[in-house]
Amino acid sequence: MERPLFIAFSSASFFIVGVGIVLPAWVAFQFGGSGLVGLVLLSSSVAGLVLAPVAGHLVDRHDRAQITVLGQTTRALGLALLAPIGFAAEPISSVLLIVSSILGAFGFAILSGSLSGILQAIVPEEQRMGFAIRLSLFNQLGIAVGTGAAGLAIDQLGSPISALMFAAAALACLPALKIITAQALDVRTPQRLSLLPASRQAFSYLLTSPQALSAAATVGLAFAVIQITNLLLPGFVIRSLDGDSSLFGLLEMAAAIAGTVALAVIGLPSIAKRLQDLTP
C-alpha cells in the first residue's frame, strides 16, 4: 500500500514543480518583464546552490517524514506569497517574487532528499532501480499536468486565487505521509557528519567519481538551458504569439510530455544498456 501512495505523493509534489515553472514566471513577466523573470530564476538557482547542503544536512539529521512535511510546507508558503503580488506596491512585489523563488528552491531541495530517503526505506535495494524508473515517469507526468493546470488556472481564475489554490493543494497531500512511513523502519536516520564535513565529503566523492561528476555537470547544463527557455518563453508567448497564460502553460506542458516520452524510451532495457556508458 505504501508504494502506490508514495508514487502518488511524489507525483503530486512534482505537480507543484510544474506549477512552480509556470506561475512565478508568468506573474514576474506581468509585473516586471523579462528582467524580473531573469532575477527570479537567478534567485532560485543561487538559493538552490547555496541551500542544498543545508537541506541535505537537515535530511541526514532528522526524521525524514517530518522533514518532508517541512519541505512541502515551505513550498506551499512560497506559492502563497505570490497571491498578494497583484495588490502590493512594485518594490514589495519584486521582493515577494524573489522570496517565493528562494522558498520554492529550498523546499524542493529538502523534499528531494527526504523522499529519496523514504524510498530507500520502503523499497529493497535490488528493486530500487526499476522502481525509480517507473517513479520518474509518474513524476514527469506530474510536471506536465502541473504546467498545464497552472496556465489554465491563471487564465480562468487569475494568479492570486491560483497561487492560494495550489498552495492548499501542496498541503492537502501531507496526510498520506503517515500511511507511507507507517511500516518503514529506517525513516528516522541516525545523526551523521555535521554540515561542513558532510559537504566536503560530497565534493570529494564527486571529484573521485567521474561518472557522478559528469552526470551532475550534464544535468546542471540541461537545467540551465531549461531556465533560459523559461526566461524567454513568457515574452515570446505575449509578443510574438499574442497568447495568454493558457498558451504558456500549454507549451510548458508539451515540453514536460516530451520529457515523459524520453523517460519511457530510455527505460527500455535495450536502449538503457546502450546509453549506460555514454554519459562520461
Side-chain angles (χ1 to χ4, degrees):
M1 179 63 179
E2 67 270 10
R3 293 191 195 182
L5 273 178
F6 181 85
I7 291 174
F9 183 89
S10 182
S11 300
S13 74
F14 276 82
F15 171 88
I16 300 300
V17 171
V19 171
I21 291 172
V22 172
L23 184 57
W26 187 262
V27 172
F29 186 81
Q30 290 292 311
F31 289 96
S34 298
L36 184 56
V37 177
L39 185 59
V40 168
L41 294 178
L42 177 63
S43 301
S44 174
S45 298
V46 172
L49 179 65
V50 173
L51 297 176
V54 178
H57 178 70
L58 291 173
V59 172
D60 274 346
R61 301 294 287 265
H62 299 282
D63 184 292
R64 284 166 176 162
Q66 295 177 359
I67 292 300
T68 301
V69 173
L70 173 63
Q72 191 77 332
T73 303
T74 301
R75 297 169 75 205
L77 178 59
L79 285 174
L81 284 180
L82 298 174
I85 286 176
F87 310 101
E90 185 175 344
I92 297 177
S93 297
S94 299
V95 171
L96 288 175
L97 272 164
I98 292 171
V99 173
S100 172
S101 69
I102 292 173
L103 290 175
F106 185 46
F108 183 70
I110 294 173
L111 197 67
S112 297
S114 60
L115 287 180
S116 176
I118 293 173
L119 185 152
Q120 294 178 47
I122 66 175
V123 180
E125 184 175 358
E126 64 275 8
Q127 300 176 16
R128 285 176 195 161
M129 181 63 71
F131 184 85
I133 292 175
R134 293 191 295 272
L135 180 64
S136 296
L137 286 169
F138 283 100
N139 288 344
Q140 193 67 26
L141 284 172
I143 294 177
V145 176
T147 51
L152 185 61
I154 299 169
D155 185 56
Q156 298 294 322
L157 304 174
S159 56
I161 295 178
S162 299
L164 294 176
M165 180 179 69
F166 290 125
L171 298 176
C173 56
L174 286 177
L177 272 177
K178 187 174 182 180
I179 303 174
I180 293 170
T181 58
Q183 304 299 322
L185 302 177
D186 191 33
V187 172
R188 183 172 181 83
T189 56
Q191 290 192 355
R192 299 180 182 177
L193 295 174
S194 57
L195 178 59
L196 291 179
S199 298
R200 285 197 298 268
Q201 186 181 73
F203 280 118
S204 298
Y205 174 78
L206 283 176
L207 293 175
T208 56
S209 176
Q211 285 190 324
L213 180 61
S214 62
T218 303
V219 171
L221 179 61
F223 187 72
V225 173
I226 292 171
Q227 290 289 66
I228 292 171
T229 304
N230 289 335
L231 169 61
L232 298 175
L233 195 56
F236 176 70
V237 167
I238 290 178
R239 294 169 181 166
S240 299
L241 303 181
D242 294 324
D244 53 17
S245 62
S246 61
L247 178 58
F248 178 46
L250 179 64
L251 293 176
E252 293 284 10
M253 184 177 182
I257 291 173
T260 306
V261 174
L263 282 171
V265 171
I266 292 173
L268 296 173
S270 59
I271 296 179
K273 186 176 181 180
R274 293 181 181 181
L275 294 176
Q276 185 175 1
D277 297 323
L278 293 182
T279 303

